[in-house]
Amino acid sequence: MSKLIEVFLGNLWTQRFTFARMGLDLQPDEKGNVLRSPLLYCIMCLTTSFELCTVCAFMVQNRNQIVLFSEALMHGLQMVSSLLKMAIFLAKSHDLVALIQQIQSPFREEDLGGKEWRSQNRRGQLMAAIYFMMCAGTSVSFLLMPVALTMLKYHSTGEFAPVSSFRVLLPYDVTQPHVYAMDCCLMVFVLSFFCCSTTGVDTLYGWCALGVSSQYRRLGQQLKRMTSCFNPSRSDFGLSGIFIEHARLLKLVQHFNSSFMEIAFVEVVIICVLYCSVICQYIMPHTNQNFAFLGFFSMVVTTQLCIYLFGAEQVRLEAERFSWLLYEVIPWQNIPPQHWKLFLFAIERAQRETVLGAYFFERGRPLLVWIFRTAGSFTTLMNALYAKYETH
């Protein structure tokens, strides 16, 4: 049992598992492609696009009903997010695979940071597994709760009246049992795509943020080790390796930022309105509300937001901690004054704030506060419109 758990908490196990369910693999083939099953991936994308079109048709038809419109908007935005994130992932797969390799390469040394990285990686994979369970619970509750209510109603009354928590305008009649079964099969692909794309991309971002943070800690350990054998006789005082590693790490942070910039931008833009739609379902409830799905989905959206923003905040704090460590551990008393300015250049560069951007936004705690405030403003507006036009 312990060996099985160790495999589940292995390096990128959750990410590999979820991407494999969509026909992708983080280990590219000989041609550098990560798409191993184009047919499965196309089926998931086509079914999701079809359901998105039905949601949009429902939104147009019910544009004057705020509650129904906001619920359909919630589902539509999540499908748009999944489609865009996976499209960006495929377009930038070469950069992302290279980023994974660059993060893993320094930790192959057992003597410096390897043990700590394995511990951090297991903790990260445990959180990824919990996030996957949230997404799976969202998908399962979304499908099974309406099916169970439909079967229960049919068993008690003998009337087949499908119950759905999905606000769509379908081009076929789901009151026919065989058509309803076909629609449920389509929803399996849609919900699997949501679960796997959300888990895979989001936890891969979190893993990369954890890896970059661990490399900053590893660099701090390397700095302490080298300053213990400080050599004043050398022109670089034996610290050139630290500066080379720091320059490599700065390039890695830049690579990490550019690889996930588009995905983070999509996440930030969509999640403001998505959070507003989720809150509206609580304050403006209606009949046939699937509260099991809503509870799981609320946890997913909140965790999703924390992964992107707190991950960037962790990288920034580790970079700041290293800049202070660089100043504290250098034995200035053993360095001739004429060489101080050479080290000041390195310290000044290290103390420059590390910023992970998303085009118009900077990821971090301030952006988290801004998203909550913006979602709150949208919710207040929607609630005022609902009170004015739909409660009289």
Side-chain angles (χ1 to χ4, degrees):
M1 185 65 180
S2 61
K3 292 183 178 179
L4 181 63
I5 295 176
E6 188 69 22
V7 171
F8 286 165
L9 298 182
N11 204 18
L12 289 173
W13 186 90
T14 304
Q15 291 82 358
R16 297 181 194 279
F17 176 80
T18 51
F19 281 123
R21 305 287 77 75
M22 296 183 292
L24 292 94
D25 193 348
L26 291 178
Q27 292 289 343
D29 57 15
E30 297 177 354
K31 298 181 180 179
N33 297 322
V34 297
L35 187 60
R36 299 298 175 85
S37 180
L39 178 61
L40 176 60
Y41 181 78
C42 288
I43 290 175
M44 286 187 167
C45 287
L46 289 175
T47 53
T48 303
S49 300
F50 169 74
E51 293 294 340
L52 177 61
C53 292
T54 60
V55 169
C56 292
F58 181 87
M59 291 168 59
V60 172
Q61 185 184 56
N62 297 273
R63 58 187 178 273
N64 295 324
Q65 301 183 41
I66 297 175
V67 178
L68 296 178
F69 182 87
S70 64
E71 184 180 4
L73 181 64
M74 176 179 66
H75 300 305
L77 286 175
Q78 188 57 57
M79 286 188 284
V80 170
S81 176
S82 297
L83 289 169
L84 287 178
K85 286 196 292 189
M86 287 309 302
I88 296 171
F89 175 83
L90 283 178
K92 309 194 74 172
S93 59
H94 295 286
D95 294 337
L96 292 171
V97 170
L99 176 63
I100 293 172
Q101 295 173 351
Q102 291 177 20
I103 289 176
Q104 289 178 326
S105 58
F107 297 110
R108 292 169 184 167
E109 301 179 12
E110 295 292 331
D111 59 333
L112 190 61
K115 184 177 180 180
E116 182 183 355
W117 164 242
R118 287 193 298 272
S119 176
Q120 291 289 330
N121 184 53
R122 283 193 295 269
R123 188 179 296 112
Q125 286 301 301
L126 179 61
M127 296 301 297
I130 294 174
Y131 185 61
F132 171 70
M133 295 301 294
M134 291 182 188
C135 295
T138 302
S139 299
V140 171
S141 62
F142 186 86
L143 180 63
L144 291 188
M145 287 296 292
V147 172
L149 291 175
T150 300
M151 295 298 101
L152 182 62
K153 187 175 182 179
Y154 178 75
H155 178 73
S156 59
T157 63
E159 179 185 2
F160 186 78
V163 177
S164 176
S165 57
F166 203 22
R167 305 300 175 181
V168 293
L169 188 63
L170 295 171
Y172 43 79
D173 185 14
V174 292
T175 59
Q176 302 297 323
H178 63 282
V179 178
Y180 180 73
M182 181 202 69
D183 185 65
C184 290
C185 292
L186 290 178
M187 287 305 302
V188 170
F189 287 104
V190 175
L191 295 172
S192 298
F193 185 72
F194 154 75
C195 176
C196 295
S197 63
T198 302
T199 303
V201 176
D202 294 348
T203 57
L204 180 61
Y205 173 89
W207 181 87
C208 291
L210 183 65
V212 173
S213 302
S214 297
Q215 288 209 25
Y216 269 111
R217 288 193 291 271
R218 175 182 176 273
L219 190 59
Q221 295 175 4
Q222 187 178 358
L223 177 61
K224 292 178 181 179
R225 175 181 295 187
M226 294 188 69
T227 52
S228 62
C229 53
F230 183 74
N231 188 1
S233 62
R234 292 178 53 179
S235 59
D236 61 350
F237 300 96
L239 297 176
S240 60
I242 290 293
F243 300 140
I244 293 174
E245 279 295 306
H246 186 227
R248 181 197 63 81
L249 186 52
L250 291 176
K251 292 181 180 179
L252 178 63
V253 172
Q254 185 178 4
H255 187 188
F256 171 56
N257 186 33
S258 61
S259 298
F260 280 97
M261 183 174 291
E262 292 83 2
I263 293 176
F265 177 74
V266 169
E267 194 69 34
V268 170
V269 171
I270 289 180
I271 209 165
C272 289
V273 185
L274 186 60
Y275 223 96
C276 170
S277 300
V278 171
I279 296 173
C280 285
Q281 302 312 304
Y282 286 104
I283 64 176
M284 295 182 291
H286 55 84
T287 57
N288 296 331
Q289 183 68 274
N290 189 343
F291 286 103
F293 158 75
L294 195 58
F296 276 110
F297 190 67
S298 302
M299 291 189 292
V300 169
V301 173
T302 305
T303 308
Q304 199 174 48
L305 187 61
C306 294
I307 287 174
Y308 282 90
L309 301 186
F310 283 124
E313 187 71 12
Q314 184 180 12
V315 173
R316 186 189 68 81
L317 291 176
E318 290 294 340
E320 183 180 4
R321 188 175 294 113
F322 172 75
S323 68
W324 286 106
L325 184 65
L326 182 63
Y327 175 80
E328 291 172 357
V329 301
I330 290 180
W332 298 98
Q333 69 277 7
N334 297 329
I335 300 177
Q338 61 269 24
H339 292 140
W340 284 356
K341 59 183 178 181
L342 298 177
F343 289 95
L344 288 175
F345 286 134
I347 292 176
E348 183 180 1
R349 178 60 188 88
Q351 289 184 343
R352 186 183 301 174
E353 186 176 12
T354 301
V355 176
L356 298 179
Y359 289 110
F360 309 111
F361 309 100
E362 292 182 0
R363 285 170 269 166
R365 284 179 297 178
L367 182 58
L368 179 67
V369 176
W370 180 83
I371 288 175
F372 282 136
R373 292 177 61 182
T374 304
S377 300
F378 283 149
T379 304
T380 302
L381 176 62
M382 297 284 284
N383 195 25
L385 293 175
Y386 173 76
K388 183 175 181 180
Y389 295 104
E390 296 195 15
T391 59
H392 298 290

